[in-house]
Structures are given as C-alpha cells and as structure tokens.
C-alpha cells in the first residue's frame, strides 16, 4: 500500500514570489511514479508535473519544478514567479509499478490550498 | 482539454435510484480509471480497466460496478444510491508505455443524491 502526506492544508504567497509545497510518501514498490495535480475552482484535475522514481534528475515544467529526495521519500513542488492563475488546490500523488495500477491506482494526498496574494 | 470526455457533467437523482456515468478515454489510451472525490473522503480510487479487462480494484462499493467496452469507453454504474454517494466522479485514462503511466483526468461528473 502507498500513502501520501501533504502537511500544509493551506499556503499563501505574494504574486511573482516563489512558493514550495511539501509532500512525503511511503511505498513498498521499487518502481513508482510521482505526480502533482492542480485543481482550480472549476474542479478539473490538471497534471502539473511527473517524476519517475528511477530518474535522479528533478523534473521541471516551465515555472514548476520538483525537489525529489528518494531516500527521504520527499517530493516537493516549487512554483516560481507565482501568478494569480496558480491559485488552486494542489494534490501530490503516487502510482506504483512500471505498468501502473495495482491495488491502489493513484494514491492522493489531502491537498494544499494555494492562495496567491496580488 | 485533457482529451478525456465524461457525461453527464451534472446529475441530480433521488435516493434508491440508479445512474450511469460515461467516459471516453483519450485517443489511444487503453487504461481507464474511476475516482470519487467527496468532501470527507478526499480522492478515492475506485477501479481500473485495461483494454476491456478489470486491472485493479480500490474502494469501490458493491452497489457500484463498471465496465470497459470494446471501443474502450467505460461506464460506472451506481445503484441503490444514498445521500453519501453525492460526490464528483472522475474518469481518467492513460497509455501504458515502457516509461510508465501518465494519467489524465476528465472534467468529472457531479452527482447529487437528494
């Protein structure tokens, strides 16, 4: 079984500043994948970034990057130059196994509500 | 637009009734997943199908069932509905590649049981 913990229910950041959202996970899988999803008020789940556990290099997507610490089972998301449109719930998730699926599918944390202050 | 299509977007029904939620995955995706998002339970994995076969089962109630058809679309059937079944139901799809899965979500179906 996998567990994902997001310890920050809510974060606030000034527009144009940088913010880091924390996530820790636990898994017995040797091969797994980690994700950050964004859920704006529309409730759509939008993939932000993806990390393969076997890759040491941290994933980046434009203003979004991760700090993946495999030994510590930590997977934080850094948002640079925060914009008003970044305001949303952010969910960290894990997926076990090279072929995905398994007993748990995607396991989600409880989310962090990100507020952008203009 | 993720390419995953769900219908209906909103549905209001009475307790005890049965509803069917429909999902069309992204073109080329063989895996379909169903998730439930409620206020108190967060995001819960229900079930996964891969190319028509059940691949994995999560916290899906016995009153719920799903299937994936030969054209790869999927349906989630919810029966004997209770007030607590009110939630946002997501379908997601992925194509399994050698480098693993990326899972894309539809916009969800809002179910309100009254």
């Amino acid at each position: 079984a996998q567990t994902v913990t997001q310890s920050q229910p809510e974060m606030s950041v000034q527009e144009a500043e940088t913010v880091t959202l924390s996530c820790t996970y636990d898994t017995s899988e040797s091969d797994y994948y980690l994700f950050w999803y964004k859920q704006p008020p529309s409730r759509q789940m939008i993939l932000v970034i993806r990390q393969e556990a076997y890759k040491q290099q941290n994933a980046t997507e434009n203003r979004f990057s991760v700090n993946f610490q495999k030994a510590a089972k930590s997977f934080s998301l850094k948002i640079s130059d925060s914009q008003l449109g970044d305001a949303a719930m952010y969910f960290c998730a894990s997926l076990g196994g090279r072929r995905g699926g398994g007993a748990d599918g995607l396991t989600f944390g409880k989310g962090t509500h990100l507020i952008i202050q203009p | 637009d993720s390419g995953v299509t769900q219908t209906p977007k909103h549905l209001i029904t009475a307790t005890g009734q049965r509803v069917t939620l429909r999902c069309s995955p992204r073109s080329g995706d063989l895996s379909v997943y169903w998730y439930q998002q409620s206020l108190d339970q967060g995001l819960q994995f229900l079930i996964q199908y891969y190319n028509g076969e059940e691949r994995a089962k999560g916290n899906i109630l016995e009153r719920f069932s799903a299937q994936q058809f030969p054209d790869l679309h999927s349906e989630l059937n919810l029966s004997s509905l209770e007030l607590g079944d009110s939630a946002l139901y997501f379908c997601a799809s992925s194509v399994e590649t050698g480098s693993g899965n990326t899972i894309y979500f539809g916009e969800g179906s809002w179910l309100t049981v009254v």
Side-chain angles (χ1 to χ4, degrees):
Chain A
Q2 300 178 76
T3 60
V4 176
T5 302
Q6 294 179 249
S7 58
Q8 305 154 316
E10 188 173 280
M11 293 283 286
S12 180
V13 64
Q14 290 290 127
E15 194 176 0
E17 297 294 309
T18 295
V19 63
T20 299
L21 308 184
S22 301
C23 172
T24 58
Y25 64 92
D26 195 13
T27 179
S28 57
E29 302 273 357
S30 58
D31 187 18
Y32 55 92
Y33 305 87
L34 299 167
F35 305 85
W36 280 96
Y37 284 90
K38 169 185 177 181
Q39 189 176 41
S42 67
R43 304 300 295 273
Q44 185 174 0
M45 293 291 286
I46 301 167
L47 177 66
V48 175
I49 201 164
R50 171 178 181 265
Q51 174 83 41
E52 293 95 334
Y54 62 88
K55 287 188 177 179
Q56 293 191 353
Q57 185 174 7
N58 289 324
T60 62
E61 287 288 343
N62 302 313
R63 296 182 296 107
F64 298 88
S65 61
V66 298
N67 183 5
F68 174 46
Q69 302 289 328
K70 191 170 183 177
K73 295 184 176 178
S74 170
F75 182 62
S76 61
L77 174 69
K78 184 171 85 171
I79 306 174
S80 303
D81 186 25
S82 297
Q83 300 176 0
L84 294 177
D86 295 333
M89 281 292 286
Y90 285 81
F91 292 94
C92 178
S94 69
L95 179 67
R98 179 164 289 276
R99 293 181 63 80
D104 300 326
L106 266 174
T107 300
F108 285 89
K110 293 194 180 298
T112 296
H113 182 210
L114 179 63
I115 298 168
I116 310 295
Q117 305 278 8
Chain B
D1 182 5
S2 67
V4 179
T5 303
Q6 290 187 246
T7 57
K9 286 188 168 34
H10 295 89
L11 190 58
I12 301 174
T13 190
T15 54
Q17 294 299 305
R18 172 190 169 96
V19 298
T20 297
L21 309 181
R22 194 180 190 277
C23 170
S24 294
R26 296 188 323 149
S27 176
D29 285 1
L30 299 178
S31 271
V32 169
Y33 308 78
W34 286 98
Y35 289 84
Q36 178 194 58
Q37 186 178 31
S38 58
L39 282 175
D40 55 345
Q41 295 288 330
L43 274 155
Q44 298 281 321
F45 167 64
L46 297 179
I47 198 164
Q48 180 200 3
Y49 281 82
Y50 177 77
N51 202 21
E53 300 288 330
E54 182 182 306
R55 166 70 67 87
K57 185 176 281 191
N59 300 317
I60 189 167
L61 300 174
E62 285 192 9
R63 301 183 285 108
F64 296 0
S65 65
Q67 55 185 325
Q68 186 179 28
F69 296 87
D71 67 353
L72 300 177
H73 91 272
S74 179
E75 293 181 354
L76 178 66
N77 300 296
L78 315 174
S79 61
S80 303
L81 285 167
E82 303 174 359
L83 295 178
D85 297 327
S86 296
L88 180 57
Y89 291 85
F90 283 109
C91 172
S93 74
S94 70
V95 58
E96 295 191 333
T97 69
S99 59
N101 281 333
T102 294
I103 297 176
Y104 295 93
F105 283 75
E107 294 186 356
S109 293
W110 278 100
L111 173 64
T112 302
V113 182
V114 297

